[in-house]
Amino acid sequence: MNVMENLLSERIKSTPPSFVRSILKTAADPNVISFAGGLPNPVSFPQEELLVSMERITKTYKDKVFQYSITAGLPELRQYIANRYNKKFGLNLDIDNILITTGSQQALDLIGKTVLDENDGVLLEKPSYLGAIQVFSQYMPKFHTVDLTDKGLNIEQFKSALNNNIKLMYAIPEFQNPTGLTYSAENREEIFEIIKDKDIILVEDDPYGELRFNGKHLPYIGAGRFKNSIVLGSFSKVVTPGMRTGFIICENKELLKNISVSKEASDLHTNIFSQYLIWDYLMHNDFEKHIAKITELYSKQAQAMLNAMDKYFPKSVKYTRPDGGMFLWVTLPENVSALELFPKALEKKVAFVPGDPFYINKKNVNTMRLNYTNADCDTIEEGIKRLGELLEGI
């Protein structure tokens, strides 16, 4: 046995390596058109406004922005989040329903650390966000997956999966990663009716909800009416990802207190300078106008990708048409492995994420994820044209 194997915990040995990290390294060649990452467009970063806020908070709050702070997060930022969600979704949140985290990824880790024991049941969409699969895998649960349809969860599979002593349910109802699909209002209501009396934790991950460019915003499945409802939010997609400022909204304050204990043990608190900076930015700028600018940009990029796919992809290839967010999902003919196509795509200087890491224990699947937010429209068309040439040969 490898000596290192003896030194590693079972927890880390059960955690899959980041597939996307390795792909991004492979696609680092500046000549490669990459649809592989999940990167917001840098054009959307309010750099000048943040510079103004940076100077203002340093002068106004002085040593407070450089000192240790409280685990729960900057009270003013937490109150802003509570007020925003109360207004937008008709919730009844206060500051004690909000915990600031180091991005949504830390939120997932803290929830797993707080509630999951080995072999606990975790219910996921199929496919699901690879970062959630990776982080929950550390706690060695039993995963149970439910197929996604264009309306949301397959309800019959969902009912059946709940018979497996599910403790935690994780879902991305709005512009799901990786598929770009959105649960319908009816599907959300069906899910709520099924779980409303069950003693499980519902995590609705919502990093993309603000990025809607078609249709109307829909209510959450559980927020405001399900006792163990958790909503995850983030400023990464609407202000800047580098600040790593996310948040947990939890109906159950006792549960959130325990998550906060896990947070304190992990890192004491999230970067306080970033929290002050984002709060000041939000206080002094038109945030809704900024979001509208991003969604207008992403709408054009998504449409450019779809138009190019309509033009260059063979009819045997299917793909989703998202109403917002950052991704769409491509389904190739049966028995075609997207993973095996990847090196051939790199030869054509174009990259994507094969579907494999978005599933539990599935290999050589016939799906791939494409990101449309980090390339201009002309680059998108050229990249899709190259992919189309590759797909014509399958």
Side-chain angles (χ1 to χ4, degrees), residues 29-290:
D29 181 343
N31 295 314
V32 171
I33 297 174
S34 180
F35 303 131
L39 304 177
N41 196 314
V43 173
S44 71
F45 303 158
Q47 296 181 46
E48 294 301 318
E49 294 87 344
L50 288 171
L51 273 172
V52 173
S53 285
M54 198 177 297
E55 184 175 6
R56 183 162 44 228
I57 64 171
T58 305
K59 288 180 177 176
T60 306
Y61 302 105
K62 299 182 170 66
D63 59 295
K64 285 184 178 179
V65 304
F66 301 109
Q67 186 56 279
Y68 284 117
S69 190
I70 59 174
T71 300
L74 184 66
E76 293 90 341
L77 182 59
R78 289 157 61 210
Q79 189 62 60
Y80 172 90
I81 293 165
N83 292 346
R84 181 173 175 81
Y85 279 73
N86 288 344
K87 181 179 179 182
K88 188 170 181 179
F89 293 101
L91 304 180
N92 187 30
L93 304 170
D94 61 43
I95 194 170
D96 292 323
N97 294 112
I98 313 295
L99 174 68
I100 305 296
T101 60
T102 305
S104 293
Q105 192 67 20
Q106 187 193 45
L108 292 171
D109 187 41
L110 296 176
I111 292 164
K113 184 183 294 186
T114 305
V115 307
L116 291 179
D117 291 316
E118 188 173 350
N119 293 321
D120 278 342
V122 172
L123 190 149
L124 300 175
E125 302 151 327
K126 181 182 179 183
S128 185
Y129 169 50
L130 56 83
I133 293 172
Q134 186 183 40
V135 77
F136 292 145
S137 293
Q138 293 182 91
Y139 303 103
M140 297 183 285
K142 287 198 180 315
F143 288 114
H144 303 275
T145 59
V146 176
D147 284 339
L148 269 182
T149 72
D150 59 359
K151 301 296 184 187
L153 290 182
N154 179 307
I155 292 299
E156 290 311 310
Q157 285 186 23
F158 178 58
K159 289 177 182 175
S160 177
L162 287 172
N163 294 324
N164 293 291
N165 296 316
I166 301 298
K167 182 186 274 190
L168 176 70
M169 173 184 170
Y170 172 77
I172 315 166
E174 205 88 347
F175 320 130
Q176 197 252 9
N177 182 357
T179 65
L181 292 169
T182 294
Y183 293 24
S184 69
E186 295 76 16
N187 190 260
R188 295 173 196 229
E189 193 61 32
E190 284 184 277
I191 293 167
F192 171 72
E193 287 297 324
I194 292 165
I195 66 168
K196 65 181 181 182
D197 297 319
K198 295 191 181 296
D199 191 24
I200 65 173
I201 293 164
L202 168 64
V203 178
E204 295 181 73
D205 199 354
D206 190 31
Y208 316 107
E210 301 275 14
L211 305 178
R212 177 178 280 278
F213 42 74
N214 289 324
K216 62 179 182 178
H217 287 282
L218 297 171
Y220 290 113
I221 296 168
R225 57 182 184 168
F226 186 67
K227 66 177 181 176
N228 290 331
S229 161
I230 294 175
V231 171
L232 305 185
S234 173
F235 293 105
S236 290
K237 309 300 186 290
V238 288
V239 183
T240 163
M243 297 294 175
R244 306 306 302 128
T245 307
F247 49 92
I248 296 173
I249 299 172
C250 187
E251 301 279 324
N252 184 332
K253 292 182 180 179
E254 189 64 30
L255 174 57
L256 192 61
K257 281 181 184 176
N258 283 285
I259 295 172
S260 186
V261 171
S262 292
K263 165 79 174 164
E264 185 176 18
S266 288
D267 67 354
L268 299 182
H269 63 81
T270 293
N271 183 317
I272 191 62
F273 190 92
S274 294
Q275 293 183 61
Y276 267 107
L277 182 58
I278 285 178
W279 175 65
D280 185 88
Y281 165 78
L282 294 168
M283 289 297 97
H284 291 92
N285 294 278
D286 189 335
F287 189 40
E288 299 302 335
K289 186 177 178 182
H290 175 67

